[in-house]
Amino acid sequence: MFVMLEGWACRYKILPNGSRQIMAFLMPGDACDLHIKLLAEMDHGIQTVTTAKVAMITRDEMSAMMQKHPNIAAAMYSAQLVDEGIMRAWIVSMGRRSSIERVAHLLCELYLRALNIGLTMHGEFEMPLSQVVLADALGMTAVHINRVLKELRMLGVMALKRGSVTLLEPEKLIQIAGFDENYLHRRQRRAV
Amino acid sequence: MFVMLEGWACRYKILPNGSRQIMAFLMPGDACDLHIKLLAEMDHGIQTVTTAKVAMITRDEMSAMMQKHPNIAAAMYSAQLVDEGIMRAWIVSMGRRSSIERVAHLLCELYLRALNIGLTMHGEFEMPLSQVVLADALGMTAVHINRVLKELRMLGVMALKRGSVTLLEPEKLIQIAGFDENYLHRRQRRAV
DNA sequence: CGGCACATTGATACCGATCAATCGGGGTGG
DNA sequence: CCACCCCGATTGATCGGTATCAATGTGCCG
């Protein structure tokens, strides 16, 4: 079992026709359970998106720790629920949101997750994802992602720099995305 | 906490613009954990798709049972992993598969799940989903679902009757869908 | 300085949405 | 018992959002 310490990774799957779909982003603090291997062959891959620092925990260490510290077990379980909520939100995005809504929604999600782990500064946060990666996560083309980002920039809701995003008008972004932060179950760290 | 005994249900979310996205189908044997309520407000709804029979288990009963029978706890955990795999497969479908591939993939998934719980007969299984429900699950329009089903029928891979599907050429369907049953983690019940 | 990955922009094609009408069957009220 | 009604299925015509193809720009690194 792995835990991201620095940098980003993603879960992905390559289809027979060669296209890639990213199913989740792993940010610092996220656990990356490869235990799926035990059940059957892995049904998807995991790869880093940036250079990253990763902690490795053996199955034995993990179960020992979870038995000894029920709080940790509870936290892991809670994190799992959040991950599921994120997956459901992605399904909703891919199914029923337009491209600009999808992009806006992902930005909202990533910003709040960065906020939760203390990686934001005045509406700005690191987002080291190339447009190709964003496209593969959102089920779109890199070309079209580019146009959508341009539109969001022209609407004045955000600004892009190399590997970081600044939310200029968060309210507007939330409104475009139809974002409801409920599913991230943020209960602590309300401070900005 | 609930467990489906008979009939089907679904998890869904209604967007601000009124459209609905279904995120999962619950078939007999599936657990439907409403414990999410504990964390925050529910981020989605659950509703039956057919008339259904449902078992209700209190939180206390459940945790008592899981402590007393580790096998049950392990089975619940395993079922959870399968559910996550299904969600990831849905994300892949919505992001990178064409409409006919999506429909074919869902049929493969539902057929195998029906097979696992012993609800199939010679390639036929009950699928009590209206085209509107299918559309909301696949992120498409009911009109277009209809056309895709027509095409699958004309390709000779399946036949539709009221509330049931017959797979005439499973291999062809699997090939269209690019289906890999790995993620369902079927290890038992190999018999047809 | 050259190469390479990523970002940007334009022109065109196509898939699936949308709008609209008809059909079919099963249940209901008179 | 029958006419009506309503929901789901089906089909046609048209529109629009994204993909696709292609070319160019830009910054970083060796």
Side-chain angles (χ1 to χ4, degrees):
Chain A
M1 179 175 180
F2 298 89
V3 176
M4 299 299 300
L5 298 181
E6 291 174 16
W8 292 36
C10 69
R11 296 179 189 273
Y12 71 96
K13 182 175 174 71
I14 306 284
L15 294 193
N17 65 27
S19 61
R20 176 178 67 164
Q21 177 64 43
I22 290 174
M23 296 166 263
F25 287 118
L26 301 170
M27 294 164 63
D30 287 334
C32 153
D33 44 355
L34 288 178
H35 52 195
I36 302 173
K37 266 185 180 163
L38 286 192
L39 277 180
E41 293 160 42
M42 186 87 136
D43 60 350
H44 67 278
I46 295 183
Q47 71 182 177
T48 57
V49 173
T50 67
T51 55
K53 191 182 288 185
V54 175
M56 204 184 313
I57 307 177
T58 67
R59 171 162 307 278
D60 293 340
E61 287 170 339
M62 197 64 212
S63 52
M65 186 157 49
M66 286 179 64
Q67 289 209 338
K68 198 168 172 185
H69 305 286
N71 288 344
I72 293 182
M76 295 293 299
Y77 185 63
S78 173
Q80 178 108 328
L81 290 185
V82 172
D83 284 347
E84 283 175 34
I86 291 174
M87 281 196 275
R88 282 192 289 264
W90 279 41
I91 290 175
V92 173
S93 272
M94 322 230 43
R96 291 291 183 216
R97 278 193 252 261
S98 70
S99 57
I100 193 173
E101 291 167 346
R102 276 216 288 283
V103 173
H105 199 278
L106 182 61
L107 287 176
C108 288
E109 174 200 321
L110 295 181
Y111 176 75
L112 275 194
R113 287 172 64 185
L115 186 61
N116 273 344
I117 56 180
L119 290 182
T120 59
M121 271 290 290
H122 311 104
E124 183 177 357
F125 69 106
E126 283 184 39
M127 205 217 31
L129 305 178
S130 74
Q131 296 184 357
V132 172
V133 170
L134 284 174
D136 283 346
L138 294 169
M140 306 166 49
T141 299
V143 171
H144 199 236
I145 279 277
N146 183 282
R147 294 186 167 120
V148 170
L149 290 176
K150 183 181 173 185
E151 188 174 352
L152 285 173
R153 246 181 285 137
M154 290 199 300
L155 288 173
V157 299
M158 49 152 267
L160 270 176
K161 277 193 314 194
R162 347 201 65 268
S164 79
V165 180
T166 306
L167 305 187
L168 301 175
E169 301 194 41
E171 300 305 330
K172 214 167 178 179
L173 190 68
I174 288 171
Q175 185 223 322
I176 292 174
F179 188 81
D180 173 7
E181 66 167 310
N182 233 339
Y183 72 100
L184 290 175
H185 301 314
R186 297 176 66 242
R187 286 173 302 166
Q188 294 152 353
R189 270 195 173 277
R190 286 283 169 191
V192 181
Chain B
M1 178 176 182
F2 298 89
V3 177
M4 300 298 301
L5 297 182
E6 290 174 19
W8 291 36
C10 69
R11 296 178 189 275
Y12 71 95
K13 181 175 172 73
I14 306 284
L15 294 192
N17 64 28
S19 61
R20 176 177 68 163
Q21 177 64 44
I22 290 174
M23 297 166 261
F25 286 119
L26 301 171
M27 294 164 63
D30 287 334
C32 153
D33 43 354
L34 288 178
H35 52 196
I36 302 173
K37 266 185 179 163
L38 286 192
L39 277 179
E41 293 161 42
M42 186 86 136
D43 59 350
H44 66 279
I46 295 183
Q47 69 182 179
T48 57
V49 173
T50 66
T51 55
K53 191 183 288 184
V54 176
M56 204 183 313
I57 306 177
T58 67
R59 170 162 308 277
D60 293 340
E61 286 170 339
M62 196 63 211
S63 52
M65 186 156 48
M66 287 180 64
Q67 288 209 339
K68 197 169 174 186
H69 305 286
N71 288 345
I72 292 181
M76 294 295 299
Y77 185 62
S78 174
Q80 178 108 328
L81 289 185
V82 172
D83 284 348
E84 284 175 33
I86 291 173
M87 281 196 275
R88 282 191 289 264
W90 279 41
I91 291 175
V92 173
S93 271
M94 322 230 42
R96 291 292 184 215
R97 278 193 251 261
S98 70
S99 58
I100 193 173
E101 292 167 347
R102 275 216 288 282
V103 172
H105 199 277
L106 182 61
L107 287 177
C108 288
E109 175 201 319
L110 295 181
Y111 176 74
L112 275 194
R113 287 173 65 186
L115 186 61
N116 273 344
I117 56 180
L119 290 182
T120 59
M121 272 290 289
H122 310 104
E124 182 178 358
F125 69 106
E126 283 183 39
M127 206 219 29
L129 305 178
S130 75
Q131 296 184 357
V132 172
V133 170
L134 284 174
D136 284 344
L138 294 169
M140 306 167 48
T141 298
V143 172
H144 198 236
I145 280 277
N146 184 282
R147 294 186 167 119
V148 170
L149 289 177
K150 183 182 173 185
E151 188 175 351
L152 285 174
R153 247 181 284 137
M154 290 199 300
L155 288 173
V157 299
M158 50 152 268
L160 269 176
K161 278 193 314 194
R162 345 201 66 270
S164 80
V165 179
T166 306
L167 305 188
L168 302 175
E169 301 193 41
E171 300 304 330
K172 213 167 178 180
L173 190 69
I174 288 171
Q175 184 224 321
I176 292 174
F179 188 80
D180 173 7
E181 66 167 309
N182 233 338
Y183 72 100
L184 289 175
H185 300 313
R186 297 177 64 243
R187 287 173 302 166
Q188 294 150 355
R189 270 195 175 278
R190 285 284 169 191
V192 179

